[in-house]
Amino acid sequence: MVVIGDLMTDAVAQAFHPLARGSDTPASVTMYGGGSGANIASWLAVGGVETTFVGRRGSDITGRTREMELMGYGLDSRMVMDPERATGTCVVMITHKGDRTMLSDPGANARLQPEDLPRDVFGPDAHLHVSGYTLINPDSRRAARVALRMARESGMSISVDAGSQAPLKRAGADKFLEWTQGVRLLFANLGQATVLSGTDDPEAAAKILTARYPNVVLKLGADGGLWASKTREGAIWAPAEDIEPRPGSVGAGDAFVAGFLPEWLAGRHPKEALGRGHHLAARALHQPGARPDLGEDQPVRRGAPRGQRIR
Ligand SMILES: Nc1ncnc2c1ncn2[C@@H]1O[C@H](COP(=O)(O)OP(=O)(O)OP(=O)(O)O)[C@@H](O)[C@H]1O
Ligand SMILES: [Mg+2]
């Protein structure tokens, strides 16, 4: 499996009290490896899927640390170093009530170039996942679009996620739909699906989107997730795991994608694939940071299916 996307540092700040604007608020602040694309790739690799990650980082110490972390997950890192821009950082602000706001500085991620794409990873037996952020960000868009074109031309199956609601809205639904033509599987949460389809009814949104993508997977938070297909009446829904998310948790959506994809590519029933997505999402919601916690006493799945062609 090949993942093209963003590599970030997440600075997760969790306020203990209501924000004292213009003054100080006691908080816990912790730095983690993040970036939606890198998170997905890490969860895939830890799950035993042979994974290549393509992205751009700064030539700074942080970038080196972030890349070392990726290699620690056992993935094939094909990062290009940007000589000027720093490795991306996202300030994740969590209020005392648990509301989450992200201040995202993509840094070097925004400079991904078509020349950064390693030609040898494009081939008919592999699957490509492109992070929505890379596509939505104007400066990395050309690289993402070239990657999508090369993947289509080499007969790869392709999935894309819709990145993030506000940037998606700014870029424009019509544009995003145009850039992602030929993609076989779209992942979106309900906010993103609403932007793309014009309705916030999950089943209706999924149905509308299957006119553009043969397969659509919607992540519905505590309400689970659903899969819809162009060739089938009605969506298949699977419940989320019955858990209490740890306050300040991040990255459930990325873990979900990494859970769903390999099962789906191996031809398992969508309900099973959704179930595996929910399972990894639940793990992300129970641990600090968005990447798999290797200290956790979790068996690493080995010999999981490689990225085969999607149905
Ligand atoms: N309260 C919850 N209880 C159980 N599972 C949850 C809960 N919230 C989220 N999840 C799990 O996380 C998955 C992804 O969550 P969500 O629908 O919010 O997607 P997302 O917005 O892409 O993710 P994120 O909020 O991490 O960016 C859900 O499909 C579900 O499996
Ligand atoms: Mg969400």
Side-chain angles (χ1 to χ4, degrees):
M1 182 110 50
V2 181
V3 179
I4 296 179
D6 44 328
L7 172 77
M8 305 278 279
T9 299
D10 286 343
V12 181
Q14 225 181 319
F16 298 145
H17 303 298
L19 289 188
R21 281 171 201 271
S23 184
D24 274 58
T25 308
S28 80
V29 182
T30 318
M31 313 292 258
Y32 299 105
S36 181
N39 296 341
I40 293 172
S42 301
W43 282 102
L44 284 167
V46 165
V49 180
E50 216 171 286
T51 306
T52 299
F53 178 71
V54 179
R56 198 166 172 106
R57 68 161 172 92
S59 56
D60 41 23
I61 293 286
T62 311
R64 193 160 88 173
T65 307
R66 297 282 91 90
E67 188 169 9
M68 296 295 271
E69 280 169 359
L70 290 186
M71 291 192 270
Y73 289 115
L75 56 78
D76 172 24
S77 166
R78 305 287 191 98
M79 302 291 303
V80 174
M81 265 195 276
D82 191 291
E84 286 155 13
R85 291 219 193 165
T87 302
T89 304
C90 185
V91 175
V92 184
M93 268 201 314
I94 297 160
T95 66
H96 68 297
K97 288 186 176 164
D99 299 323
R100 191 181 67 186
T101 304
M102 303 207 254
L103 293 169
S104 185
D105 174 359
N109 289 295
R111 284 269 183 87
L112 190 72
Q113 302 297 313
E115 303 78 60
D116 297 344
L117 305 169
R119 298 301 191 263
D120 63 303
V121 302
F122 291 85
D125 294 334
H127 178 82
L128 173 70
H129 181 82
V130 176
S131 168
Y133 285 96
T134 308
L135 202 51
I136 291 168
N137 209 312
D139 293 340
S140 55
R141 183 175 306 142
R142 208 161 67 82
R145 295 193 66 187
V146 167
L148 290 173
R149 198 188 66 222
M150 292 197 316
R152 277 196 307 267
E153 285 172 2
S154 61
M156 278 170 109
S157 63
I158 310 169
S159 55
V160 163
D161 61 72
S164 181
Q165 183 176 356
L168 177 66
K169 201 167 172 181
R170 275 197 300 275
D174 289 345
K175 291 277 187 230
F176 185 86
L177 295 169
E178 181 197 319
W179 301 328
T180 52
Q181 270 177 32
V183 165
R184 314 248 358 232
L185 170 61
L186 171 80
F187 291 97
N189 69 15
L190 188 55
Q192 295 149 12
T194 303
V195 172
L196 292 176
S197 69
T199 170
D200 62 0
D201 175 78
E203 292 231 13
K207 181 150 183 54
I208 290 168
L209 289 171
T210 55
R212 312 299 289 251
Y213 309 98
N215 301 277
V216 174
V217 170
L218 298 194
K219 301 171 277 184
L220 305 171
D223 294 329
L226 59 81
W227 166 85
S229 146
K230 198 176 218 147
T231 54
R232 188 184 184 281
E233 255 313 297
I236 290 180
W237 172 83
E241 297 205 348
D242 186 13
I243 53 141
E244 192 58 50
R246 172 193 164 114
S249 57
V250 284
D254 300 331
F256 177 95
V257 169
F260 184 91
L261 266 180
E263 303 294 314
W264 169 254
L265 292 167
R268 305 257 152 67
H269 193 274
K271 200 147 188 144
E272 264 183 69
L274 291 167
R276 181 76 190 154
H278 292 319
H279 183 66
L280 291 199
R283 270 181 63 187
L285 291 168
H286 264 175
Q287 56 154 58
R291 305 260 187 83
D293 184 356
L294 294 181
E296 207 181 359
D297 189 23
Q298 283 275 358
V300 172
R301 288 197 343 149
R302 288 280 166 224
R306 289 188 56 181
Q308 299 299 315
R309 282 183 63 80
I310 203 163
R311 272 184 303 166

